[in-house]
Amino acid sequence: MMIVGCGAMIGAVIRYWITSIYKRMQWDWLLATLLINLSGAFLLGLLTNHFANNQMAINFGGVGVLGGYTTFSTFNTELLALIDEHRWFTMGLYLLLSYGGGIALAFLGLKI
Amino acid sequence: MTNLRNYLSVAIFAFFGGCSRSLLSQWLPISGIIVANLLGCFLLALLTYYVIEKGIFADWLSTGLGTGFIGAFTTFSSFAVATVHLSQQNWSAAICYFLISSVGGLLMAVCGFVIARRLGKEVHS
């Protein structure tokens, strides 16, 4: 449990760091979470594929770091904010890119 | 200084968020991630539109709770990998898993938002 917790600390700090850069640069904030979730899904696929027998790597890197790095709640709260602002096209595009891209990249990670 | 305090807060809260998710998925092997994700969507919307909007907590505390605890409690990577795994065994299970997470997550966020706005009005009147 300590291993998962420490991994999650690292993952969440990297996520916070990336989001802060996007905010400071005044880039579109949606792109930060999209980048985080897509890269995290791909990396978890890779990790699950290549370290299936290494429980320590799965717990630390997968459940901990990548679990803490990617986020489902921020993604949905951002979708909600887009609905609230009536930005329907952006909302649809963000939803499609996140789910389509995330699942496709996880699949790719599991294959290569 | 504020920056460092926020980073520390995110790290410490994320420790507990990650551990809670892990415990939940040990207890409920497949649905644990769904429960964590749906609950997290509700809580983050409530936090964003009530606690943060009204400035109820200090900045470092709401950042720690939102980005740290709830952010680490929910996860996108396990959801994506689990959907692919399920689709290789059983298509209908994968579609159910995907729909419950995606539709449920957004609905739970909407619930959190509606409750936050109601609470906000009560405070004002």
Side-chain angles (χ1 to χ4, degrees):
Chain A
M1 196 50 63
M2 280 300 282
I3 293 169
V4 171
C6 291
M9 276 174 118
I10 298 171
V13 166
I14 299 173
R15 169 163 46 81
Y16 184 53
W17 178 60
I18 294 177
T19 334
S20 310
I21 294 174
Y22 272 76
K23 274 192 188 146
R24 202 171 49 234
M25 299 297 194
Q26 296 180 325
W27 291 334
D28 199 336
W29 42 274
L30 295 170
L31 293 174
T33 310
L34 184 66
L35 169 83
I36 289 165
N37 281 342
L38 293 187
S39 58
F42 176 67
L43 290 173
L44 187 66
L46 271 185
L47 190 87
T48 313
N49 191 12
H50 295 281
F51 292 87
N53 299 319
N54 188 341
Q55 202 54 43
M56 177 88 169
I58 295 288
N59 280 338
F60 178 73
V63 184
V65 178
L66 293 172
Y69 172 63
T70 59
T71 180
F72 195 76
S73 49
T74 309
F75 162 60
N76 274 286
T77 309
E78 286 167 353
L79 287 178
L80 179 72
L82 292 173
I83 295 174
D84 190 38
E85 292 164 11
H86 300 285
R87 291 168 63 189
W88 298 102
F89 178 75
T90 314
M91 186 260 180
L93 191 66
Y94 184 44
L95 193 139
L96 216 66
L97 283 175
S98 292
Y99 284 132
I103 291 170
L105 283 166
F107 180 77
L108 190 69
L110 286 164
K111 287 287 162 207
I112 60 173
Chain B
M1 216 32 226
T2 330
N3 216 354
L4 182 68
R5 195 175 351 173
N6 282 353
Y7 271 100
L8 273 176
S9 177
V10 166
I12 293 164
F13 276 105
F15 180 91
F16 295 104
C19 287
S20 310
R21 169 169 42 81
S22 176
L23 281 175
L24 202 60
S25 63
Q26 275 169 19
W27 183 44
L28 305 164
I30 293 177
S31 52
I33 297 294
I34 296 185
V35 173
N37 278 345
L38 297 194
L39 192 62
C41 288
F42 172 75
L43 290 174
L44 190 66
L46 193 64
L47 185 89
T48 308
Y49 290 99
Y50 182 65
V51 177
I52 297 176
E53 217 166 72
K54 301 275 166 205
I56 291 170
F57 291 154
D59 187 39
W60 65 268
L61 184 58
S62 28
T63 305
L65 281 171
T67 308
F69 185 85
I70 305 173
F73 183 58
T74 63
T75 183
F76 188 84
S77 50
S78 293
F79 153 77
V81 168
T83 307
V84 175
H85 271 311
L86 280 174
S87 73
Q88 286 159 349
Q89 299 154 10
N90 183 342
W91 267 103
S92 47
I95 293 169
C96 276
Y97 185 85
F98 175 79
L99 284 178
I100 293 171
S101 300
S102 57
V103 179
L106 193 57
L107 281 179
M108 289 298 270
V110 171
C111 282
F113 175 80
V114 170
I115 292 176
R117 284 285 141 92
R118 289 232 172 113
L119 283 172
K121 271 184 195 147
E122 271 171 27
V123 169
H124 270 293
S125 56

